[in-house]
Amino acid sequence: MSRADLSLWRIFRVPLLLAALSLTGLIGALLDDGLWDGLGAGLLAATLVIATAAWVQRRHSP
């Protein structure tokens, strides 16, 4: 990968996605009960799944 491939968008797109999912999950869970609690927990769990999958993929790539 050359230095030209490392644009700001390529570097920060996944962290921005994880931040958006986490923030949406936290705010949703705080605003209302019932459905929002489940949706908030799902979004927070999704951030952990995505981060773990990226970590595993990075460890197993040559």
mmCIF file of all heavy atoms in Angstrom, residues 4-25:
data_model
loop_
_atom_site.group_PDB
_atom_site.id
_atom_site.type_symbol
_atom_site.label_atom_id
_atom_site.label_comp_id
_atom_site.label_asym_id
_atom_site.label_seq_id
_atom_site.Cartn_x
_atom_site.Cartn_y
_atom_site.Cartn_z
ATOM 1 N N ALA A 4 -0.027 7.224 -1.095
ATOM 2 C CA ALA A 4 -1.142 7.875 -1.774
ATOM 3 C C ALA A 4 -2.471 7.192 -1.453
ATOM 4 O O ALA A 4 -3.525 7.814 -1.533
ATOM 5 C CB ALA A 4 -0.906 7.881 -3.274
ATOM 6 N N ASP A 5 -2.441 5.925 -1.096
ATOM 7 C CA ASP A 5 -3.667 5.200 -0.752
ATOM 8 C C ASP A 5 -4.204 5.577 0.623
ATOM 9 O O ASP A 5 -5.328 5.228 0.956
ATOM 10 C CB ASP A 5 -3.426 3.690 -0.776
ATOM 11 C CG ASP A 5 -3.160 3.177 -2.176
ATOM 12 O OD1 ASP A 5 -3.557 3.845 -3.143
ATOM 13 O OD2 ASP A 5 -2.544 2.112 -2.284
ATOM 14 N N LEU A 6 -3.427 6.254 1.425
ATOM 15 C CA LEU A 6 -3.817 6.565 2.795
ATOM 16 C C LEU A 6 -4.454 7.950 2.886
ATOM 17 O O LEU A 6 -3.930 8.861 3.512
ATOM 18 C CB LEU A 6 -2.609 6.475 3.724
ATOM 19 C CG LEU A 6 -1.991 5.096 3.872
ATOM 20 C CD1 LEU A 6 -0.765 5.138 4.763
ATOM 21 C CD2 LEU A 6 -2.999 4.109 4.420
ATOM 22 N N SER A 7 -5.616 8.103 2.280
ATOM 23 C CA SER A 7 -6.347 9.360 2.391
ATOM 24 C C SER A 7 -7.037 9.402 3.761
ATOM 25 O O SER A 7 -7.161 8.386 4.455
ATOM 26 C CB SER A 7 -7.382 9.473 1.282
ATOM 27 O OG SER A 7 -8.391 8.500 1.456
ATOM 28 N N LEU A 8 -7.471 10.595 4.135
ATOM 29 C CA LEU A 8 -8.152 10.727 5.427
ATOM 30 C C LEU A 8 -9.411 9.870 5.487
ATOM 31 O O LEU A 8 -9.730 9.296 6.521
ATOM 32 C CB LEU A 8 -8.508 12.190 5.691
ATOM 33 C CG LEU A 8 -7.361 13.074 6.140
ATOM 34 C CD1 LEU A 8 -7.845 14.504 6.297
ATOM 35 C CD2 LEU A 8 -6.770 12.580 7.438
ATOM 36 N N TRP A 9 -10.139 9.785 4.372
ATOM 37 C CA TRP A 9 -11.360 8.980 4.357
ATOM 38 C C TRP A 9 -11.043 7.511 4.593
ATOM 39 O O TRP A 9 -11.733 6.834 5.347
ATOM 40 C CB TRP A 9 -12.100 9.178 3.045
ATOM 41 C CG TRP A 9 -13.325 8.313 2.958
ATOM 42 C CD1 TRP A 9 -13.552 7.323 2.085
ATOM 43 C CD2 TRP A 9 -14.469 8.357 3.815
ATOM 44 N NE1 TRP A 9 -14.773 6.735 2.319
ATOM 45 C CE2 TRP A 9 -15.364 7.344 3.375
ATOM 46 C CE3 TRP A 9 -14.840 9.132 4.910
ATOM 47 C CZ2 TRP A 9 -16.582 7.117 3.985
ATOM 48 C CZ3 TRP A 9 -16.058 8.889 5.516
ATOM 49 C CH2 TRP A 9 -16.913 7.897 5.055
ATOM 50 N N ARG A 10 -9.985 6.976 3.949
ATOM 51 C CA ARG A 10 -9.622 5.563 4.121
ATOM 52 C C ARG A 10 -9.176 5.284 5.550
ATOM 53 O O ARG A 10 -9.398 4.203 6.069
ATOM 54 C CB ARG A 10 -8.518 5.172 3.151
ATOM 55 C CG ARG A 10 -9.035 4.933 1.750
ATOM 56 C CD ARG A 10 -7.986 4.343 0.848
ATOM 57 N NE ARG A 10 -7.422 3.105 1.338
ATOM 58 C CZ ARG A 10 -7.883 1.890 1.053
ATOM 59 N NH1 ARG A 10 -8.937 1.767 0.290
ATOM 60 N NH2 ARG A 10 -7.284 0.818 1.503
ATOM 61 N N ILE A 11 -8.553 6.249 6.185
ATOM 62 C CA ILE A 11 -8.061 6.049 7.544
ATOM 63 C C ILE A 11 -9.195 6.113 8.570
ATOM 64 O O ILE A 11 -9.267 5.297 9.491
ATOM 65 C CB ILE A 11 -6.982 7.086 7.883
ATOM 66 C CG1 ILE A 11 -5.743 6.844 7.011
ATOM 67 C CG2 ILE A 11 -6.614 7.047 9.364
ATOM 68 C CD1 ILE A 11 -4.710 7.935 7.097
ATOM 69 N N PHE A 12 -10.097 7.062 8.410
ATOM 70 C CA PHE A 12 -11.077 7.337 9.458
ATOM 71 C C PHE A 12 -12.494 6.849 9.174
ATOM 72 O O PHE A 12 -13.389 7.058 9.995
ATOM 73 C CB PHE A 12 -11.131 8.846 9.739
ATOM 74 C CG PHE A 12 -9.901 9.358 10.408
ATOM 75 C CD1 PHE A 12 -9.026 10.178 9.727
ATOM 76 C CD2 PHE A 12 -9.608 9.011 11.708
ATOM 77 C CE1 PHE A 12 -7.882 10.640 10.336
ATOM 78 C CE2 PHE A 12 -8.474 9.463 12.320
ATOM 79 C CZ PHE A 12 -7.599 10.282 11.640
ATOM 80 N N ARG A 13 -12.739 6.143 8.059
ATOM 81 C CA ARG A 13 -14.120 5.756 7.772
ATOM 82 C C ARG A 13 -14.653 4.718 8.750
ATOM 83 O O ARG A 13 -15.795 4.817 9.199
ATOM 84 C CB ARG A 13 -14.278 5.302 6.339
ATOM 85 C CG ARG A 13 -13.549 4.041 5.998
ATOM 86 C CD ARG A 13 -13.717 3.673 4.551
ATOM 87 N NE ARG A 13 -12.838 2.550 4.248
ATOM 88 C CZ ARG A 13 -12.667 2.077 3.066
ATOM 89 N NH1 ARG A 13 -13.292 2.622 2.055
ATOM 90 N NH2 ARG A 13 -11.860 1.062 2.869
ATOM 91 N N VAL A 14 -13.881 3.725 9.102
ATOM 92 C CA VAL A 14 -14.370 2.702 10.048
ATOM 93 C C VAL A 14 -14.485 3.269 11.467
ATOM 94 O O VAL A 14 -15.509 3.047 12.129
ATOM 95 C CB VAL A 14 -13.496 1.437 9.993
ATOM 96 C CG1 VAL A 14 -13.900 0.445 11.071
ATOM 97 C CG2 VAL A 14 -13.590 0.786 8.627
ATOM 98 N N PRO A 15 -13.487 4.013 11.971
ATOM 99 C CA PRO A 15 -13.685 4.614 13.302
ATOM 100 C C PRO A 15 -14.885 5.563 13.365
ATOM 101 O O PRO A 15 -15.590 5.593 14.380
ATOM 102 C CB PRO A 15 -12.381 5.371 13.556
ATOM 103 C CG PRO A 15 -11.370 4.646 12.759
ATOM 104 C CD PRO A 15 -12.098 4.193 11.527
ATOM 105 N N LEU A 16 -15.147 6.303 12.296
ATOM 106 C CA LEU A 16 -16.322 7.178 12.274
ATOM 107 C C LEU A 16 -17.613 6.366 12.281
ATOM 108 O O LEU A 16 -18.574 6.737 12.960
ATOM 109 C CB LEU A 16 -16.283 8.097 11.054
ATOM 110 C CG LEU A 16 -15.288 9.249 11.125
ATOM 111 C CD1 LEU A 16 -15.220 9.968 9.777
ATOM 112 C CD2 LEU A 16 -15.666 10.211 12.227
ATOM 113 N N LEU A 17 -17.631 5.269 11.551
ATOM 114 C CA LEU A 17 -18.802 4.395 11.562
ATOM 115 C C LEU A 17 -19.035 3.809 12.954
ATOM 116 O O LEU A 17 -20.163 3.804 13.457
ATOM 117 C CB LEU A 17 -18.640 3.264 10.545
ATOM 118 C CG LEU A 17 -19.708 2.176 10.573
ATOM 119 C CD1 LEU A 17 -21.040 2.721 10.098
ATOM 120 C CD2 LEU A 17 -19.281 0.988 9.744
ATOM 121 N N LEU A 18 -17.974 3.348 13.589
ATOM 122 C CA LEU A 18 -18.105 2.788 14.937
ATOM 123 C C LEU A 18 -18.565 3.846 15.929
ATOM 124 O O LEU A 18 -19.383 3.571 16.813
ATOM 125 C CB LEU A 18 -16.779 2.173 15.391
ATOM 126 C CG LEU A 18 -16.323 0.940 14.623
ATOM 127 C CD1 LEU A 18 -14.962 0.483 15.129
ATOM 128 C CD2 LEU A 18 -17.332 -0.170 14.728
ATOM 129 N N ALA A 19 -18.044 5.057 15.806
ATOM 130 C CA ALA A 19 -18.461 6.143 16.697
ATOM 131 C C ALA A 19 -19.934 6.479 16.489
ATOM 132 O O ALA A 19 -20.674 6.680 17.463
ATOM 133 C CB ALA A 19 -17.599 7.379 16.460
ATOM 134 N N ALA A 20 -20.380 6.515 15.238
ATOM 135 C CA ALA A 20 -21.781 6.814 14.949
ATOM 136 C C ALA A 20 -22.701 5.724 15.495
ATOM 137 O O ALA A 20 -23.755 6.022 16.083
ATOM 138 C CB ALA A 20 -21.985 6.988 13.448
ATOM 139 N N LEU A 21 -22.316 4.461 15.311
ATOM 140 C CA LEU A 21 -23.131 3.362 15.844
ATOM 141 C C LEU A 21 -23.197 3.407 17.365
ATOM 142 O O LEU A 21 -24.268 3.243 17.959
ATOM 143 C CB LEU A 21 -22.566 2.017 15.387
ATOM 144 C CG LEU A 21 -22.772 1.637 13.926
ATOM 145 C CD1 LEU A 21 -22.025 0.334 13.626
ATOM 146 C CD2 LEU A 21 -24.233 1.501 13.597
ATOM 147 N N SER A 22 -22.065 3.644 18.003
ATOM 148 C CA SER A 22 -22.026 3.702 19.463
ATOM 149 C C SER A 22 -22.855 4.867 19.998
ATOM 150 O O SER A 22 -23.637 4.710 20.942
ATOM 151 C CB SER A 22 -20.593 3.856 19.957
ATOM 152 O OG SER A 22 -19.840 2.735 19.650
ATOM 153 N N LEU A 23 -22.686 6.032 19.387
ATOM 154 C CA LEU A 23 -23.423 7.207 19.845
ATOM 155 C C LEU A 23 -24.921 7.033 19.648
ATOM 156 O O LEU A 23 -25.716 7.368 20.531
ATOM 157 C CB LEU A 23 -22.923 8.444 19.096
ATOM 158 C CG LEU A 23 -23.407 9.783 19.605
ATOM 159 C CD1 LEU A 23 -22.973 9.985 21.059
ATOM 160 C CD2 LEU A 23 -22.857 10.895 18.748
ATOM 161 N N THR A 24 -25.317 6.491 18.519
ATOM 162 C CA THR A 24 -26.738 6.240 18.269
ATOM 163 C C THR A 24 -27.293 5.239 19.279
ATOM 164 O O THR A 24 -28.395 5.429 19.815
ATOM 165 C CB THR A 24 -26.948 5.716 16.838
ATOM 166 O OG1 THR A 24 -26.395 6.648 15.914
ATOM 167 C CG2 THR A 24 -28.411 5.501 16.545
ATOM 168 N N GLY A 25 -26.531 4.189 19.566
ATOM 169 C CA GLY A 25 -26.981 3.194 20.540
ATOM 170 C C GLY A 25 -27.102 3.765 21.942
ATOM 171 O O GLY A 25 -28.083 3.510 22.640
#
